[in-house]
Amino acid sequence: MNSRLEQFVRDHREEFDGEEPDKKIWEKILQDVDPGKKKQAPLVRIDWRRWSAAAAVVLLVAGAVWYISSRAGKTSPNIVRTAPATVTPGAGDKQPAPLAQGQPTTRDSARTSKEPTLAEIRPKENKESASQATELDNSMNEEMYHYARLVEIKHKQLKTIEKDEPLLYRQFASDVNKLDSVYHNLQSQLPQNPNREQLLEAMLQNLQLQMGLLNHQLDIIKQINHSKKTEYEKAYKTT
Amino acid sequence: MNTSNAKIAELELTEPILHDELVERCKRGDSRAYSELYQKYSKAMYNTSLRIVNHTGDAEDVMQEAFTDAFRSLEDFHYKSTFGAWLKRIVINKSINQLRKRKMDLIDIDKTNIGHLPDEDGPDENEVALKVEDIKKAVGFLPNGYRTVLTLYLFEGYDQEEIAEILQVSHATVRTQYMRAKQKLLQYLKQGVS
């Protein structure tokens, strides 16, 4: 096969790509794909270093929150309530996270999630009446109870991988435990801390972080299972 | 610049394919990365499709479908090839399907155009003046089947085995189709394309 034409095309290859696509195409693709929705798109290969970096960021944030709130004053280690999300498997269904003394317990998560956010209920004045303070405590405790329950549930889900992926489980559990210990620390300061509101907010944030972390971990497990499955299918097909 | 490009091309053949940061960002749901990825590949892909389907509207449809499919199935992309090669393959498959949808059209052109042109003794390649614009036009005049084989070989750099696989025909068919397509192209070029 002679090659003058082939050589010419090779030498001028880029000039042959001179046509411009209509700009509207991208808008249509954007509508179809909606990358915003793909935020939870599964990663097929998980970069462990990247994941550890993310965990480190989470811990740093938690640490900062703890530090800020701890500056408000040092306190005696008088524990108000025990941890809602201990890793011990002993925490059974019937015994959810214990609440602060005298709090009404509610399992209605729909109701608790509709609680006004902290920003909305926070009084502008620093010195507030006693009734306002209790009200705030109540709603925050409810919210915290809600999160504590969720964290507990997620923890149980995570536990199911302990058999299959003991190493991964240990790593995951240690990440969560670090956050949990910060939570305990905050909790121990609660009784004596003059800035109760800030501390409660920090505790709440901590629980939210724990939940976020657990969600990520569960996502990763899902992805691992998914890629295992596809790999298996591929191997099965090719052999 | 050209030499460095050539180096990169060489590397791609020998080195294992590195993870594409842009693709990884897309996988993580970074919407800006989608836009960047589109900007990077859209022009080349559009021209590839246009050469096969020979119709701007169809090429635009192919582009939209191909990019949408590619973005949605990013998790199925495992770096067995470069992202560009993977995407190009999607574009080409969709372009060929687009052509097959218009199959009636394809047969008509084939019959009317091949009939009165001798396949064997075309013009001598060395006698024909080669210009980019003329070649582009002449490719557009080729019947669909010839044009597909010719563009895949000449412009997209697939070898004949690969083309045979893409089109689901024998290697021999691809070889003869390509030779005929090329003869016809040279003939158009010699006659002068208007």
Side-chain angles (χ1 to χ4, degrees), chain A residues 189-201:
Chain A
Q189 295 171 33
L190 195 57
Q192 301 300 317
N193 198 312
N195 208 338
R196 191 176 171 80
E197 189 190 327
Q198 206 179 26
L199 200 58
L200 281 169
E201 194 182 353

Side-chain angles (χ1 to χ4, degrees), chain B residues 116-130:
Chain B
H116 56 88
L117 285 169
D119 288 331
E120 306 293 313
D121 34 64
D124 184 353
E125 201 172 1
N126 296 314
E127 292 168 12
V128 180
L130 297 175

Side-chain angles (χ1 to χ4, degrees), chain B residues 70-120:
Chain B
F71 286 155
R72 279 183 182 157
S73 48
L74 271 182
E75 63 251 46
D76 297 328
F77 171 61
H78 298 301
Y79 295 97
K80 282 177 186 149
S81 64
T82 61
F83 177 78
W86 182 70
L87 181 62
K88 191 189 244 184
R89 191 59 196 270
I90 296 175
V91 168
I92 285 169
N93 285 342
K94 291 209 179 286
S95 301
I96 290 166
N97 284 340
Q98 189 74 24
L99 267 189
R100 284 187 177 139
K101 272 190 218 162
R102 297 173 180 263
K103 206 174 177 184
M104 293 305 292
D105 204 8
L106 182 147
I107 292 163
D108 282 343
I109 292 170
D110 273 350
K111 277 183 182 163
T112 50
N113 279 350
I114 296 168
H116 56 88
L117 285 169
D119 288 331
E120 306 293 313

Side-chain angles (χ1 to χ4, degrees), chain B residues 12-194:
Chain B
E12 273 184 355
L13 292 174
T14 50
E15 298 283 300
I17 293 151
L18 297 171
H19 277 210
D20 187 330
E21 185 50 34
L22 204 50
V23 174
E24 289 303 305
R25 276 170 56 207
C26 285
K27 284 185 177 183
R28 272 178 260 137
D30 179 344
S31 52
R32 250 188 316 167
Y34 281 87
S35 171
E36 283 173 39
L37 206 58
Y38 178 78
Q39 296 306 329
K40 188 173 172 189
Y41 290 104
S42 59
K43 201 174 168 189
M45 295 303 151
Y46 178 67
N47 281 277
T48 294
S49 178
L50 191 58
R51 275 189 288 270
I52 297 172
V53 297
N54 206 20
H55 183 286
T56 52
D58 283 357
E60 284 169 8
D61 287 349
V62 165
M63 285 276 283
Q64 190 189 336
E65 272 183 45
F67 273 93
T68 304
D69 275 18
F71 286 155
R72 279 183 182 157
S73 48
L74 271 182
E75 63 251 46
D76 297 328
F77 171 61
H78 298 301
Y79 295 97
K80 282 177 186 149
S81 64
T82 61
F83 177 78
W86 182 70
L87 181 62
K88 191 189 244 184
R89 191 59 196 270
I90 296 175
V91 168
I92 285 169
N93 285 342
K94 291 209 179 286
S95 301
I96 290 166
N97 284 340
Q98 189 74 24
L99 267 189
R100 284 187 177 139
K101 272 190 218 162
R102 297 173 180 263
K103 206 174 177 184
M104 293 305 292
D105 204 8
L106 182 147
I107 292 163
D108 282 343
I109 292 170
D110 273 350
K111 277 183 182 163
T112 50
N113 279 350
I114 296 168
H116 56 88
L117 285 169
D119 288 331
E120 306 293 313
D121 34 64
D124 184 353
E125 201 172 1
N126 296 314
E127 292 168 12
V128 180
L130 297 175
K131 284 181 195 156
V132 171
E133 282 310 310
D134 289 350
I135 293 172
K136 277 168 81 171
K137 268 187 202 157
V139 168
F141 284 130
L142 285 173
N144 290 348
Y146 283 0
R147 197 180 58 248
T148 305
V149 173
L150 183 116
T151 56
L152 291 182
Y153 187 81
L154 201 55
F155 296 100
E156 310 312 338
Y158 289 101
D159 61 33
Q160 295 184 350
E161 277 93 351
E162 287 170 317
I163 297 170
E165 192 221 311
I166 292 171
L167 295 173
Q168 303 277 294
V169 294
S170 71
H171 183 189
T173 307
V174 173
R175 201 175 51 230
T176 52
Q177 287 264 309
Y178 178 70
M179 282 191 324
R180 288 178 187 175
K182 189 176 155 187
Q183 287 303 330
K184 214 159 162 46
L185 184 81
L186 291 170
Q187 211 155 21
Y188 286 145
L189 288 173
K190 199 184 179 187
Q191 284 165 6
V193 270
S194 50

